[in-house]
């Protein structure tokens, strides 16, 4: 006997390890998983599970890795209901709405920001998300960006410096000076608190040359690039991301054949954010085109107060299947293993010995129910680092 916990009578187990089960998802039927501390130590058929002190009966339900959300903007204050309402009444989305949140975020206390992030992290956890990347980007001063990163660091190790979200309002007439700030004093203050650097490479934000300057400066300080790329228009973002070895190019809505080829030939993950298209009535990314070309695809809700105010990965799985040409298996892989690839993590996004014990039990017999039953809260239990949350 051990102090480990066995989860038995799992109808369908998604391991994301083809050596353990069937297909790319490594599916096992009538399975069990044993966790000890914060790690998975055994995976196999339920009838062969080793004896443990503790046992959880899954009751014939499905178990999968906790969702890995590799793109979120949770450090903010304020509300943009009016903007959303106007947009749903016919006004198109543009990047300028970010500045509304900037004003509210600058005015908020650290405690207000921390409470907001805690609320959205709890919300995501309840829906099965166990790994979260969190960006800054609503401060746009050196001090406000640094404190945003410090707040984010209390909730995750996957912290991204996004001082280059848009040009700060006080630099509207001198964007070059703002790029100097982002790559100079602001970077100096923020780099110690972040793992990643990101830039919104888009009309209304930063062009290709500015994005290159910002990402290169971050890389010189040890931050790995990520890029908001090709969301609103075709542009240089995707190819720049691949050229600079970015971990991910996020959005990827408007792509040329050259963009797809670059992603297929590089190691940059295409992170698709269908909540943004849903919330802006925009064209969805063509996931089928990317997958058929051999591109690695991740999914994320892109939780932010302006263009995608959802923390629900199951909702995005359903959107990806219904609107983006993905199969249920592909969407679940993208929401788990794909997100792990986008964060360059091997310890999450899979259920295998040695991986973190991040697990989501569904109140359903199959992972396919995430797309089959859209909008239904299916997460019956969630383990984060071996702890039932």
């Amino acid at each position: 006997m051990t102090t480990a916990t066995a989860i038995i009578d799992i109808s369908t187990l998604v391991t994301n390890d083809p050596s353990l089960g069937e297909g790319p998802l490594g599916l096992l039927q009538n399975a069990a998983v044993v966790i000890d501390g914060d790690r998975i130590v055994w995976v196999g058929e339920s009838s062969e599970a080793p004896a443990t002190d503790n046992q959880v009966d899954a009751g014939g339900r499905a178990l999968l890795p906790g969702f890995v959300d590799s793109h979120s903007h949770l450090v903010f204050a304020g509300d943009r209901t009016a903007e959303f309402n106007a947009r749903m009444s016919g006004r198109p989305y543009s990047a300028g709405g970010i500045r509304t949140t900037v004003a509210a975020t600058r005015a908020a206390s650290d405690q207000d920001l921390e409470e907001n992030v805690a609320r959205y992290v709890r919300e995501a956890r309840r829906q099965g998300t166990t790994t979260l990347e969190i960006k800054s980007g609503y401060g746009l001063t050196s001090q406000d960006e640094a404190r945003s990163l410090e707040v984010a660091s209390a909730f995750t190790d996957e912290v991204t410096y996004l001082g280059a979200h848009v040009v700060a309002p006080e630099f509207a007439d001198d964007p070059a000076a703002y790029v100097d700030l982002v790559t100079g004093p602001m970077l100096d203050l923020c780099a110690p608190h972040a793992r990643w650097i990101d830039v919104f490479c888009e009309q209304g934000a930063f062009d290709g040359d500015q994005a290159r300057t910002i990402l290169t400066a971050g890389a010189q300080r040890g931050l790995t690039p990520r890029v908001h790329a090709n969301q609103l228009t075709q542009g240089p973002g995707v190819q720049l991301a691949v050229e600079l070895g970015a971990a991910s190019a996020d959005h990827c809505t408007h792509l040329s054949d050259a963009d797809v080829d670059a992603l297929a030939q590089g190691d940059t993950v295409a992170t698709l954010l269908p909540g943004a298209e849903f919330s802006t009535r925009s064209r969805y990314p063509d996931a089928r085109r990317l997958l058929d070309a051999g591109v690695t695809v991740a999914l994320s809700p892109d939780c932010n107060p302006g263009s995608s105010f959802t923390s629900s990965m199951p909702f995005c799985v359903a959107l990806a299947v219904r609107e983006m040409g993905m199969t249920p298996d592909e969407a679940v892989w993208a929401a788990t293993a794909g997100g792990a690839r986008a964060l360059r993590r091997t310890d999450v996004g899979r259920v295998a010995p040695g991986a973190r014990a991040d697990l989501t039990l569904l109140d359903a017999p199959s992972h396919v129910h995430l797309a089959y039953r859209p909008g239904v809260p299916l997460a019956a239990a969630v383990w984060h680092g071996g702890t039932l949350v």
Side-chain angles (χ1 to χ4, degrees):
M1 299 288 283
T2 73
T3 57
T5 296
I7 307 171
I8 63 167
D9 193 21
I10 301 164
S11 62
T12 303
L13 173 64
V14 175
T15 69
N16 285 336
D17 186 337
S19 72
L20 294 176
E22 178 186 351
L25 292 187
L27 296 176
L28 283 172
Q29 309 300 322
N30 303 313
V33 173
V34 178
I35 59 179
D36 193 353
D38 67 350
R39 296 288 151 175
I40 296 165
V41 295
W42 186 90
V43 174
E45 293 186 10
S46 193
S47 61
E48 300 176 356
T52 59
D53 283 342
N54 307 301
Q55 196 171 84
V56 175
D57 190 340
R61 292 177 287 186
L63 188 75
L64 63 156
F67 298 122
V68 180
D69 183 351
S70 61
H71 184 124
S72 81
H73 303 256
L74 301 186
V75 187
F76 68 88
D79 182 270
R80 284 159 66 181
T81 302
E83 174 191 320
F84 176 80
N85 191 36
R87 188 166 63 236
M88 292 300 101
S89 302
R91 189 177 75 196
Y93 170 67
S94 67
I98 293 168
R99 294 181 180 88
T100 303
T101 302
V102 169
T105 302
R106 289 178 178 180
S109 68
D110 289 356
Q111 181 178 349
D112 289 339
L113 296 177
E114 289 167 4
E115 290 175 352
N116 280 348
V117 176
R119 171 188 172 191
Y120 300 123
V121 169
R122 287 194 303 268
E123 190 177 272
R125 289 264 191 275
R126 287 196 299 268
Q127 299 172 87
T129 295
T130 51
T131 301
L132 271 163
E133 178 264 11
I134 302 177
K135 305 178 191 295
S136 65
Y138 292 119
L140 308 188
T141 69
S142 297
Q143 294 295 334
D144 284 308
E145 283 296 294
R147 76 180 180 121
S148 294
L149 294 171
E150 290 187 62
V151 167
S153 296
F155 297 91
T156 183
D157 294 330
E158 304 298 343
V159 178
T160 300
Y161 167 47
L162 183 57
H165 203 176
V166 293
V167 174
E170 55 269 28
F171 287 87
D173 296 328
D174 194 358
Y178 186 67
V179 172
D180 289 343
L181 176 65
V182 168
T183 58
M186 187 185 289
L187 177 61
D188 292 340
L189 204 58
C190 290
H193 305 293
R195 180 184 178 195
W196 310 96
I197 184 168
D198 199 346
V199 60
F200 190 6
C201 184
E202 185 60 73
Q203 291 182 11
F206 298 90
D207 64 25
D209 290 339
Q210 292 169 327
R212 182 190 302 278
T213 297
I214 291 162
L215 296 172
T216 300
Q220 291 172 347
R221 295 296 302 273
L223 304 182
T224 303
R226 322 183 70 79
V227 184
H228 280 62
N230 299 54
Q231 177 185 3
L232 307 176
T233 58
Q234 280 193 22
V238 163
Q239 293 189 53
L240 180 64
V242 175
E243 175 193 334
L244 296 181
S248 66
D250 298 28
H251 288 290
C252 296
T253 307
H254 298 274
L255 300 180
S256 67
D257 289 344
D259 294 329
V260 176
D261 289 344
L263 288 165
Q265 294 169 19
D267 295 324
T268 298
V269 174
T271 301
L272 309 183
L273 314 171
E277 280 71 39
F278 178 88
S279 297
T280 59
R281 286 182 177 164
S282 301
R283 188 184 85 191
Y284 286 94
D286 187 349
R288 183 80 268 137
R289 179 186 181 195
L290 291 165
L291 290 165
D292 289 347
V295 176
T296 300
V297 171
L299 283 175
S300 168
D302 186 19
C303 187
N304 75 82
S307 62
S308 184
F309 201 9
T310 178
S311 58
S312 176
M313 190 72 85
F315 173 62
C316 291
V317 167
L319 284 180
V321 172
R322 175 62 181 84
E323 303 290 348
M324 291 161 49
M326 300 182 83
T327 67
D329 282 12
E330 289 168 340
V332 168
W333 190 95
T336 52
R341 292 273 187 94
L343 293 175
R344 296 185 172 171
R345 296 276 295 271
T346 59
D347 60 329
V348 296
R350 63 192 183 97
V351 180
R356 272 181 59 90
D358 290 354
L359 304 164
T360 296
L361 180 69
L362 300 181
D363 192 11
S366 167
H367 61 284
V368 177
H369 279 236
L370 290 165
Y372 181 41
R373 302 199 69 206
V376 176
L378 291 179
V382 179
W383 287 264
H384 181 232
T387 300
L388 186 64
V389 297

